[in-house]
Amino acid sequence: MSPEEMSNMKSLISTIASVTATAMLVRSIASDFIPKEYRSYVFDSFHSLFHRFSSQFTILIHEFQGPSPNLVFEAVEVYLGSIVNSSTKSIRLGKTENDKGLVITMDKDEEIIDVFEDVKVTWRMECRRIESGSQNDEIKDMIAALCSELRCYELKFHKKHKEKVMKSYLPYIMERSKNAKEESRVIKLYSNFRNWGSDGMNLKHPMTFDTLAMDEEVKNALIDDLESFVKGKEYYSRIGKAWKRGYLLYGPPGTGKSSLIAAMANHLNYDIYDLDLTEVRSNSNLRSLLLGMSGRSILVIEDIDCSINLENREQKEEKENKHNRVTLSGILNFLDGIWSCCGEERVIVVTTNHIDKLDAALLRPGRMDMHINMSYCKSSAFKQLVFNYLNIHDHELFDQIGELLQVVEVTPADVAGELLKSKNPTISLRGLVEFLKIKLQKEETLKSQNGGPEAEEAFKDETKHESIHDSSEDLSNIVDL
């Protein structure tokens, strides 16, 4: 280093030391002579004067907006937790019973640099402890007064990018954090035993569409329909209909209707509201329950034909139920009346063992948009069950079992019960073959005793339905509309 450069370096160090000493002296004088209730105001004034001559623009996002939590602050907290990188030296880690995994948030005095559409921004978390007895207006509201510190996110960027940050970057953060919170939260199960309750139960049902034993074609059609529904907000708004979708699951007991509901909830990450109509005392009570539901949820009415008196009105006059005053008209208005518009992104699932007992008005489009026949176990559902229980994809007995399933009516629950008897694939499948042969023999004996071929044809006619019946508009092209 040349003598001239050495001299310049000494001059620079001397200047920095002088400025630092001056700043420390000013701070000391301020602490000694300025009352503490005015210090924040004085320091903020100097801070404001400094920024007036800076090219940087700063946005402060406080934790509270008056007496209420600041939703922007919550969104930023979630977003920054998702982009924490190796340059971050300190983070906060936590988990509640409503979180699927660990929750990462930014620690105080940490900085994170983010880039959005070539705009570089800097985030910083500031925390200020609240001194006891403080009368600052900023902490007079009840919620903040209960906190030991006030938190605030500081967002800095070049002032020429102000419009892009305000109109694009911050809305992007709000949307992304909303999706992240939905994906990370635990699914809740609510019951109307006490008007849904406040917390609900955590739903930890492991069933997914990957493990659901169901006809593959029917399953894929349902998944496509659910995906179209989730992406159909603009479509429903354009056609002037409430953003909801109804599914009727019908078929004999043990065909997997409840498992399918759990798979739908896990796929959509929607809470489940289990409505027991026998606990509802009036139509007005039914409307109150509807208003108490959240969006992005599944309303389930299981065994609707057994719960209350909902006979086909073409066969009988509508009657009040013995123990409550819920009527069929009340149910219909609940499903697609004016009150059903209070809430959006809602799925309604109704199950029944006897579709023929339901009034046609309950089955029409707008109420039950898709009818799904939960049929007896066939080849594709059987193979899924074998993979679930025995972890095999193929076996020499598959063809024989497949042929038997074409003529024997057994539910997936029946097949699962046989597969549970042994973890050895060969022993388990041989047991299933014997079970199916015995079942077939009993069915043939019963049919011969009840009239032979005529009785068999009558039995088939009673259960003859399409596996899927979509009774509303085709939503397969919602994304392209």
Side-chain angles (χ1 to χ4, degrees), residues 446-463:
L446 184 62
K447 289 174 184 177
S448 63
Q449 292 175 349
N450 293 335
E454 293 80 6
E456 183 177 352
E457 285 300 319
F459 178 79
K460 288 182 179 179
D461 288 340
E462 289 179 4
T463 58

Side-chain angles (χ1 to χ4, degrees), residues 154-197:
E154 184 182 76
L155 172 61
K156 290 185 177 181
F157 52 89
H158 197 285
K159 57 186 178 183
K160 68 180 180 181
H161 300 304
K162 178 182 176 181
E163 185 175 357
K164 177 174 284 190
V165 170
M166 296 293 293
K167 293 185 177 181
S168 300
Y169 182 52
L170 291 178
Y172 163 77
I173 289 176
M174 297 293 290
E175 183 65 25
R176 178 165 166 176
S177 66
K178 175 185 174 183
N179 296 334
K181 283 192 288 187
E182 288 295 331
E183 292 174 1
S184 63
R185 72 179 182 88
V186 173
I187 299 173
K188 292 287 187 176
L189 174 62
Y190 298 91
S191 170
N192 66 306
F193 177 66
R194 291 184 178 177
N195 291 328
W196 302 136

Side-chain angles (χ1 to χ4, degrees), residues 106-168:
M106 190 175 175
D107 198 8
K108 62 180 180 180
D109 299 326
E110 278 290 326
E111 285 192 357
I112 293 180
I113 295 175
D114 191 23
V115 178
F116 175 78
E117 296 181 358
D118 297 327
V119 177
K120 182 180 178 181
V121 300
T122 302
W123 289 96
R124 186 172 185 272
M125 160 67 84
E126 290 188 349
C127 293
R128 182 159 58 84
R129 287 202 165 276
I130 301 174
E131 300 178 12
S132 79
S134 175
Q135 297 297 318
N136 193 311
D137 289 339
E138 189 178 353
I139 62 168
K140 278 185 178 179
D141 63 81
M142 187 174 10
I143 296 179
L146 297 174
C147 302
S148 61
E149 61 183 15
L150 290 176
R151 298 189 298 163
C152 174
Y153 282 110
E154 184 182 76
L155 172 61
K156 290 185 177 181
F157 52 89
H158 197 285
K159 57 186 178 183
K160 68 180 180 181
H161 300 304
K162 178 182 176 181
E163 185 175 357
K164 177 174 284 190
V165 170
M166 296 293 293
K167 293 185 177 181
S168 300

Side-chain angles (χ1 to χ4, degrees), residues 400-401 404 418 427-441:
Q400 183 182 1
I401 293 174
L404 287 169
E418 292 300 314
I427 295 175
S428 181
L429 293 176
R430 283 176 180 173
L432 178 59
V433 170
E434 291 302 312
F435 170 79
L436 293 174
K437 286 181 177 180
I438 294 172
K439 184 85 171 175
L440 177 61
Q441 185 178 4

